[in-house]
Amino acid sequence: MGKVLTLHKNNIMNQVDYLRISLIDRCNFRCQYCMPEGAELDYLLRQQLLTNEELLTLIQEVFVPVGFNKFRLTGGEPLLRPDVVELVRAISSIPQTQDLSMTTNGFLLARMAQDLYDAGLRRINISLDSLDPETFDQIINNRGRSRWQQVWEGIQTTHRVGFDPLKLNVVVIPGINDHEVLDLAALTITRQWHVRFIEFMPIGNAHLFGDQGWVASAELRQRIRERWGLTESQIRGNGPADVFQIPGAKGTLGFISQMSECFCDRCNRMRLSADGWLRPCLLNESNQLDLRSALRAGASLAELRSQVSQLLALKPEINFKQRESGATGAYSRTMSQIGG
Ligand code: SAM
């Protein structure tokens, strides 16, 4: 089956070839912005999760044939998925896999990084919203036990094992961690780490968001520029980040500005939730496909390929282009449930 291409507004062909796969909706942290306190989180039952076999069948027989070749494992917390190392091995061994990466909170990396690397994983993004253990523990809602040190050790181990690039994801929340932006940016000066600042999104957390909002990337860049200067980096990722560098730094700074800018036209991705819902756009809930139910009801793989192809063709219309900057939507699933 041919690859599906969508038209960029400037008529540049934009290929949707990147699938973010949530392995599990559970997490060992409870970040305020992702799994807000009090939010009704009905965790999936084991039988609702795609099995390893179902997931691998979908990747090999549905997603690869319609043109997906970049995969990111996420969650919830992907390292809580039983057999995650085996899944990594299986996905990295698919000949068409051009890129396999993972987004994790890093809590289990100190003991798992080497096994993941040996299984074929090379790229990791670790969420680190604060360098201050107290702030960090407050954000992740640690319930009495500090987790910062173990995450920091996970980051060091990941670096030692050889993951490259190693990226640190920071969701910037006004009044909570925005005063740490310079300290976090400074990590890239002497280390070949890549820090990416993400604008806080109102997904499944409208109340919290309403109180606090987001900080525009341009403002963060200005603060960094005033301190050290800032140049546009030659290094580009395959995602929506605008990449910059402190002059002379070993690593880079990425800015993901989905609230202050709209990059829907260059969106190259879809998301598969742990229970098998394929979501064509993070910022709205329309046109999702329930692949798990279809698979279990006996739909043929040819039928599923055709449904996903049709969705790919529709994606330019589904992309949330018309949204106002900073618009909030009504989302029934939190990021932890969608697979961020
Ligand atoms: N548990 C893993 C982790 O912590 O990285 C993977 C899942 S988490 C949902 C993936 C990413 O989504 C994290 O970097 C997290 O900070 C980000 N995220 C979650 N909720 C968000 C929100 N409301 N706005 C922006 N980013 C968010």
Side-chain angles (χ1 to χ4, degrees):
M1 188 169 300
K3 293 189 172 179
V4 178
L5 300 171
T6 57
L7 270 186
H8 188 279
K9 74 171 173 216
N10 298 324
N11 287 336
I12 299 164
M13 300 304 265
N14 178 35
Q15 191 171 346
V16 178
D17 57 5
Y18 176 32
L19 186 67
R20 296 177 71 101
I21 302 169
S22 173
L23 296 183
I24 190 163
D25 59 335
R26 289 170 192 268
C27 190
N28 37 8
F29 291 177
R30 183 99 200 223
C31 297
Q32 293 179 36
Y33 55 76
C34 185
M35 306 170 91
E37 187 74 10
E40 283 302 317
L41 288 177
D42 294 325
Y43 291 119
L44 297 170
L45 302 173
R46 198 185 170 91
Q47 62 268 29
Q48 293 174 299
L49 295 178
L50 288 174
T51 63
N52 288 1
E53 199 188 338
E54 287 169 335
L55 179 57
L56 291 169
T57 299
L58 285 174
I59 294 174
Q60 280 174 291
E61 306 295 337
V62 177
F63 291 110
V64 164
V66 303
F68 287 89
N69 52 31
K70 302 184 179 76
F71 305 103
R72 176 174 294 274
L73 306 178
T74 180
E77 174 46 43
L79 297 181
L80 292 183
R81 168 95 180 202
D83 297 334
V84 61
V85 173
E86 288 320 307
L87 272 174
V88 165
R89 199 182 317 281
I91 300 171
S92 67
S93 326
I94 296 171
Q96 293 89 343
T97 299
Q98 285 182 12
D99 186 51
L100 177 63
S101 55
M102 178 181 282
T103 300
T104 165
N105 61 31
F107 188 63
L108 297 175
L109 272 180
R111 63 179 162 88
M112 294 180 78
Q114 186 68 56
D115 288 347
L116 292 164
Y117 190 89
D118 294 344
L121 190 68
R122 292 291 179 273
R123 304 203 311 112
I124 285 200
N125 287 30
I126 303 167
S127 300
L128 184 76
D129 291 334
S130 176
L131 291 170
D132 170 28
E134 224 171 280
T135 307
F136 181 85
D137 289 333
Q138 183 199 343
I139 292 172
I140 69 159
N141 207 344
N142 68 316
R143 297 178 185 164
R145 278 182 56 202
S146 183
R147 310 287 176 136
W148 187 88
Q149 190 60 36
Q150 190 165 330
V151 169
W152 188 248
E153 279 161 22
I155 295 170
Q156 309 288 339
T157 308
T158 305
H159 176 67
R160 269 198 306 276
V161 165
F163 281 89
D164 185 21
L166 190 165
K167 294 184 183 168
L168 302 180
N169 284 359
V170 182
V171 176
V172 180
I173 313 166
I176 306 279
N177 64 351
D178 58 326
H179 61 285
E180 289 191 59
V181 162
L182 293 181
D183 292 339
L184 286 156
L187 293 175
T188 66
I189 297 177
T190 52
R191 302 168 176 86
Q192 209 193 329
W193 292 357
H194 306 277
V195 173
R196 322 180 106 223
F197 295 107
I198 303 171
E199 288 175 355
F200 178 28
M201 283 183 285
I203 293 188
N205 55 30
H207 171 65
L208 182 65
F209 185 87
D211 292 347
Q212 300 179 326
W214 42 278
V215 187
S217 296
E219 186 186 325
L220 302 183
R221 284 198 290 270
Q222 189 51 30
R223 286 194 221 163
I224 296 167
R225 194 175 286 117
E226 280 166 15
R227 175 74 177 78
W228 293 287
L230 195 61
T231 52
E232 269 195 59
S233 169
Q234 303 304 313
I235 305 166
R236 289 225 56 86
N238 74 35
D242 298 313
V243 188
F244 290 78
Q245 211 158 13
I246 294 172
K250 288 190 173 165
T252 63
L253 296 171
F255 297 86
I256 305 181
S257 320
Q258 67 286 346
M259 299 308 292
S260 62
E261 289 167 26
C262 177
F263 43 72
C264 302
D265 278 316
R266 47 185 167 109
C267 180
N268 64 346
R269 62 199 56 198
M270 289 199 187
R271 288 175 160 79
L272 182 67
S273 68
D275 56 347
W277 281 91
L278 181 64
R279 179 176 178 125
C281 170
L282 175 61
L283 289 171
N284 76 58
E285 298 186 326
S286 63
N287 296 78
Q288 299 181 72
L289 279 179
D290 180 359
L291 295 177
R292 186 204 64 202
S293 298
L295 202 58
R296 291 188 188 172
S300 72
L301 294 168
E303 168 66 14
L304 297 186
R305 279 193 292 272
S306 152
Q307 286 183 18
V308 176
S309 288
Q310 284 170 30
L311 195 57
L312 280 163
L314 274 179
K315 183 163 159 62
E317 295 316 311
I318 297 167
N319 284 348
F320 209 3
K321 292 175 206 155
Q322 303 309 322
R323 75 200 175 89
E324 306 277 57
S325 221
T328 65
Y331 302 104
S332 58
R333 287 191 146 188
T334 62
M335 280 291 265
S336 67
Q337 293 165 323
I338 297 165

